[in-house]
Amino acid sequence: QVLLVESGGDSVQAGGSLRLACAASGFTFGNYRMGWFRQAPGKEREGVAYVWWDGAPIYADSVKGRFTISKDNGKNTLYLQMNSLKPDDTAIYYCAASSQRWCSGSCLRRSEYNYWGQGTQVTVSS
């Protein structure tokens, strides 16, 4: 079955960096659209970035220029490099996968993904 396992979450100071990883199994990784979402306490889960099956990345405005999404098809792993972290980036970060090539709307919407990991906590202190 599809399994997504995130890692790399930690507590850092503002301005610091973290690299999240999502190990995928149970499906043909290179054929899926992959995304990163986050959910802060008391807030809705929001899309951070996603990458098309061909590797082209798309970012939410809030992280553009600071975060980089990438994937390694040989390792079945999705990454999120996060630089210049801010306290507002504090959240649980989730990896998501979709078997659908296209989205009915924005691909940063939660409803556009079939599978989810369990999440990894990122805490940024000022």
Side-chain angles (χ1 to χ4, degrees):
Q1 77 275 19
V2 172
L3 186 63
L4 302 171
V5 180
E6 301 95 334
S7 61
D10 206 344
S11 296
V12 296
Q13 295 279 334
S17 298
L18 282 175
R19 188 193 197 201
L20 306 183
C22 171
S25 61
F27 63 101
T28 306
F29 183 73
N31 290 348
Y32 276 53
R33 173 167 37 85
M34 302 295 298
W36 285 101
F37 285 70
R38 66 186 181 186
Q39 188 164 15
K43 294 188 177 181
E44 295 289 319
R45 191 171 299 188
E46 63 172 355
V48 173
Y50 67 92
V51 59
W52 293 106
W53 64 92
D54 63 356
I58 302 292
Y59 299 95
D61 288 343
S62 58
V63 305
K64 206 172 289 183
R66 299 188 299 123
F67 291 10
T68 302
I69 187 172
S70 63
K71 63 176 190 169
D72 186 331
N73 289 342
K75 294 182 178 180
N76 284 1
T77 302
L78 179 73
Y79 300 99
L80 185 68
Q81 177 67 43
M82 305 187 295
N83 298 329
S84 302
L85 282 161
K86 306 174 181 179
D88 284 349
D89 295 319
T90 295
I92 300 174
Y93 282 71
Y94 298 90
C95 172
S98 173
S99 57
Q100 298 299 311
R101 178 151 288 201
W102 304 110
C103 299
S104 58
S106 168
C107 291
L108 288 173
R109 292 191 310 186
R110 182 176 180 174
S111 59
E112 298 289 352
Y113 295 83
N114 311 88
Y115 306 103
W116 295 86
Q118 83 291 347
T120 186
Q121 177 71 50
V122 171
T123 303
V124 185
S125 57
S126 57

